[in-house]
């Protein structure tokens, strides 16, 4: 039996994100395209000599006592009956509170790593059930590999339909450093939606738009206008990226990371080279 496993987990961006009206239960349904990108957190999961404990060491980013990793451990133990404790060393590279799914991806990686560590295999149904108890976006990150990099996501985030991923795009990301909580962002959207007439593509159109020329994309993010309205530095990041004429520019998730998509590697490199002088936390990435 293994004593430790090392898991690498990716970030995501939302190429499109429509937030529908609040449901009777207080949650919102979404229509989105999730795209994994090559920016990773790392987990080192080790067996402990204790029972029913999950101790997380995260020196770069301080986590609350209850977090997505401890929730994943609890969900795994509930599904398997395993009670052996674990210690987890988390190395953060994905910006936190930035709309890039770092916490959800960490949780999904934890579920995969625990299966490997203890030599058990949860069924797809068991994995999905565990993921849904942790958070809305966790389901998207459950599976690793080229076939699971891009998906159309609906419901609260638990309904995932994977589609063939494009490999011809270059991404320049700018992190404004604003942390807008998901709760706050949804409240801003709810207030904004009262007078918002923005046209969004239909759910049935999303995959065909994704396949087409990026310059013709009509994707939107319901969060962008209300969140950037409260935090002007986000709009500044969008404007700065727009100065380099990307094929597409948007904010991801509920913010605050902004991304530009380029078809040309040279254009992406030129944009990144200039932007990284003014934006301390910026990235040049390509889906491979």
């Amino acid at each position: 039996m293994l004593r430790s496993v090392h898991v690498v987990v990716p970030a995501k961006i939302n190429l499109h994100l429509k937030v529908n009206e609040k449901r009777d239960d207080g949650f919102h349904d979404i229509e989105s395209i999730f795209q994994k990108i090559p920016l990773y957190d790392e987990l080192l999961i080790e067996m402990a000599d204790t029972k029913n404990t999950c101790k997380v060491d995260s020196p770069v980013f301080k986590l609350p006592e209850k977090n997505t990793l401890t929730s994943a451990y609890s969900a795994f133990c509930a599904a398997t009956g395993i009670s052996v404790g674990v210690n987890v060393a988390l190395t953060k590279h994905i910006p936190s509170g930035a709309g890039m799914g770092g916490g959800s991806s960490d949780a999904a990686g934890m579920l995969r790593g625990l299966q490997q560590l203890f030599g058990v295999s949860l069924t797809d149904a068991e994995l999905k059930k565990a993921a849904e108890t942790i958070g809305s976006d966790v389901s998207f990150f459950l599976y690793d590999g080229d076939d699971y990099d891009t998906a159309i996501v609906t419901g609260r985030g638990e309904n995932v339909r994977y589609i063939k991923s494009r490999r011809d795009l270059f991404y320049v990301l700018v992190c404004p450093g604003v942390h807008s909580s998901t709760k706050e962002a949804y409240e801003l959207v709810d207030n904004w939606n009262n007078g918002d007439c923005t046209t969004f593509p239909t759910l049935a159109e999303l995959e065909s738009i994704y396949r087409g020329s990026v310059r013709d994309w009509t994707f939107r993010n319901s969060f962008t206008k209300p969140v950037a309205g409260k935090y002007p530095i986000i709009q500044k990041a969008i404007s700065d990226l727009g100065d380099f004429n990307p094929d597409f520019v948007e904010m991801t998730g509920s913010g605050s990371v902004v991304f530009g998509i380029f078809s040309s590697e040279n254009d992406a490199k030129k944009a990144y080279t200039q932007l990284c002088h003014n934006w301390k936390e910026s990235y040049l990435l390509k889906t491979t």
Side-chain angles (χ1 to χ4, degrees):
M1 183 179 290
L2 298 174
R3 291 296 301 177
S4 67
V5 295
H6 178 251
V7 184
V8 178
V9 301
K12 61 84 177 164
I13 55 175
N14 298 85
L15 302 179
H16 170 81
L17 177 53
K18 180 184 179 184
V19 178
N20 293 313
E21 292 183 3
K22 186 185 291 187
R23 307 186 318 197
D24 291 341
D25 63 3
F27 292 102
H28 297 74
D29 285 326
I30 64 168
E31 298 171 11
S32 187
I33 295 185
F34 283 28
Q35 172 71 62
K36 290 179 184 175
I37 56 173
L39 181 62
Y40 303 96
D41 284 351
E42 298 179 58
L43 307 174
L44 179 63
I45 310 169
E46 299 178 306
M47 285 192 191
D49 295 328
T50 56
K51 289 187 177 296
N52 300 310
T53 60
C54 177
K55 181 181 178 183
V56 181
D57 179 31
S58 176
V60 175
F61 178 74
K62 184 173 177 59
L63 292 172
E65 184 174 348
K66 182 178 179 181
N67 52 71
T68 60
L69 293 174
T70 59
S71 295
Y73 171 77
S74 297
F76 175 82
C77 292
T80 61
I82 288 172
S83 60
V84 178
V86 296
N87 296 322
V88 185
L90 171 63
T91 303
K92 288 291 293 181
H93 298 290
I94 301 171
S96 179
M100 299 180 72
S104 296
S105 191
D106 291 345
M110 182 75 164
L111 290 173
R112 294 199 307 272
L114 289 170
Q115 288 184 97
Q116 185 179 354
L117 183 66
F118 291 106
V120 300
S121 295
L122 297 175
T123 66
D124 289 344
E126 289 170 332
L127 271 176
K128 184 171 171 50
K129 181 179 178 181
E132 290 177 9
T133 67
I134 304 165
S136 299
D137 294 346
V138 178
S139 295
F140 169 68
F141 293 103
L142 283 176
Y143 303 102
D144 197 15
D146 293 346
D147 293 337
Y148 304 103
D149 284 347
T150 309
I152 294 174
V153 178
T154 56
R156 288 173 53 192
E158 76 279 11
N159 300 323
V160 180
R161 179 171 71 86
Y162 294 101
I163 61 176
K164 184 176 175 58
S165 186
R166 294 181 63 157
R167 306 295 178 188
D168 58 336
L169 304 177
F170 300 86
Y171 301 86
V172 177
L173 276 61
V174 169
C175 185
V178 173
H179 187 155
S180 173
S181 72
T182 303
K183 181 177 183 294
E184 176 192 43
Y186 273 105
E187 290 173 351
L188 290 170
V189 167
D190 287 337
N191 292 331
W192 187 273
N193 278 346
N194 291 332
D196 188 15
C197 298
T198 303
T199 301
F200 283 77
T202 66
L203 180 62
E205 295 174 317
L206 296 185
E207 186 170 0
S208 63
I209 294 171
Y210 175 70
R211 299 277 168 236
S213 169
V214 179
R215 288 212 172 266
D216 294 333
W217 281 4
T218 54
F219 294 148
R220 302 283 186 271
N221 183 345
S222 295
F223 289 108
T224 302
K225 288 183 179 180
V227 175
K230 180 167 184 179
Y231 299 101
I233 193 171
I234 297 175
Q235 187 57 54
K236 170 67 172 167
I238 293 172
S239 298
D240 283 5
L241 260 170
D243 288 342
F244 294 93
N245 196 30
D247 294 77
F248 183 79
V249 61
E250 242 316 343
M251 185 182 78
T252 182
S254 57
S256 62
V257 161
V258 173
F259 63 92
I261 299 180
F262 296 81
S263 300
S264 161
E265 183 175 12
N266 286 336
D267 289 347
K269 286 180 176 178
K270 288 177 184 177
Y272 170 73
T273 300
Q274 294 297 316
L275 287 163
C276 68
H277 292 301
N278 297 323
W279 296 93
K280 182 173 68 173
E281 196 169 4
S282 53
Y283 306 88
L284 172 61
L285 305 168
K286 183 184 187 300
T287 51
T288 55

